[in-house]
Amino acid sequence: MGYFLLRESMLDSVIKARDKWLKPDGIMLPSHATMYLGLVSDEEDRLYKASEYIQSTQEWHRFKKEMSKMYQCDMSVLEGVYKTEQKEYYILSTFWAELNPDQCIGKPYEVKHLDLQTCTMQDVQGLEEKSFRIPVDRDCTISGFYGYFTTDFIGSEKNKLDKFFTLSTAPENGYTHWGQQVFYLEVPHWVPLGGAICGSIKMERQKENIRLYNIIMKHQQIDSEEERTPTNMHQDTYLMP
């Protein structure tokens, strides 16, 4: 299993091995896997990553000035490419984290469930656009989203295990190799109790490297159930390197 279950397309190998070697009456263990999306509030870390981006652009301007002064070389033609690259790296990339449960807001939303006994190669290619709505459980600043997964040891319809159990990479379970994948917002949402974050998530394999993914997030804020006055829908594409 990869980070957020799908990263590095590791399930491809699982499906190929299952189709080649699993006997008709065999059991896949783990037998099921589920992906979840949650809200995170951690302005200290979000602002730290934003400051790294700002610092990288300041370094560029110093470099451009030095090149002009010392070598009469105008580097402006590369500025747009450089800033896009730096923003993708510092702002629009997911990263591994070991979140504290206190940083997690509301109840995580299930975005994909797989029966590993029967799912196909097409099923594990990515995540089709999935709508979500996550109510907040207190007044809070939403800094971004986090994703994690669980695996269930249940067995199949024909061969159920006597005892079921679940292995989870959720924040409340402490450190795991997989941790959580966090993707911060460029501009945070302040949401009062009774409000929610709504939107959709979609995961597509990168054309340059099919082992990695792009995550397309649409999101908007709803202040309260009674008013139901959503803000404008925002859309961001995150690289999951």
Side-chain angles (χ1 to χ4, degrees), residues 39 132-136 138-143 145 185 187-200 218-225 227-235:
L39 303 175
F132 64 84
R133 181 182 181 281
I134 306 177
V136 304
R138 58 184 182 272
D139 293 348
C140 58
T141 298
I142 300 301
S143 306
F145 302 91
L185 302 172
V187 178
H189 294 292
W190 188 88
V191 187
L193 176 64
I197 298 293
C198 302
S200 67
K218 297 177 182 178
H219 53 93
Q220 64 182 166
Q221 171 187 338
I222 295 179
D223 286 339
S224 70
E225 280 294 331
E227 295 180 7
R228 298 198 64 80
T229 52
T231 59
N232 294 331
M233 183 70 76
H234 303 273
Q235 178 170 324

Side-chain angles (χ1 to χ4, degrees), residues 108-232:
Y109 195 91
E110 179 183 316
V111 294
K112 191 176 183 72
H113 180 75
L114 290 169
D115 183 337
L116 299 178
Q117 187 90 18
T118 60
C119 67
T120 66
M121 190 67 74
Q122 183 62 37
D123 294 330
V124 302
Q125 292 296 300
L127 172 62
E128 294 185 359
E129 187 170 6
K130 175 75 173 181
S131 296
F132 64 84
R133 181 182 181 281
I134 306 177
V136 304
D137 49 14
R138 58 184 182 272
D139 293 348
C140 58
T141 298
I142 300 301
S143 306
F145 302 91
Y146 71 96
Y148 71 95
F149 70 94
T150 62
T151 56
D152 300 309
F153 292 72
I154 298 173
S156 65
E157 287 294 329
K158 294 181 180 179
N159 295 297
K160 289 205 177 286
L161 301 182
D162 294 333
K163 294 183 179 180
F164 305 158
F165 63 95
T166 297
L167 297 180
S168 174
T169 64
E172 61 266 23
N173 289 290
Y175 172 82
T176 68
H177 164 79
W178 296 271
Q180 298 85 43
Q181 285 289 293
V182 173
F183 23 113
Y184 284 131
L185 302 172
E186 191 169 359
V187 178
H189 294 292
W190 188 88
V191 187
L193 176 64
I197 298 293
C198 302
S200 67
I201 179 173
K202 181 179 181 180
M203 293 179 63
E204 298 177 333
R205 295 192 178 190
Q206 296 179 9
K207 294 180 180 179
E208 300 80 5
N209 186 345
I210 63 171
R211 290 170 57 82
L212 306 180
Y213 284 83
N214 291 328
I215 300 178
I216 299 93
M217 293 292 305
K218 297 177 182 178
H219 53 93
Q220 64 182 166
Q221 171 187 338
I222 295 179
D223 286 339
S224 70
E225 280 294 331
E226 293 76 17
E227 295 180 7
R228 298 198 64 80
T229 52
T231 59
N232 294 331

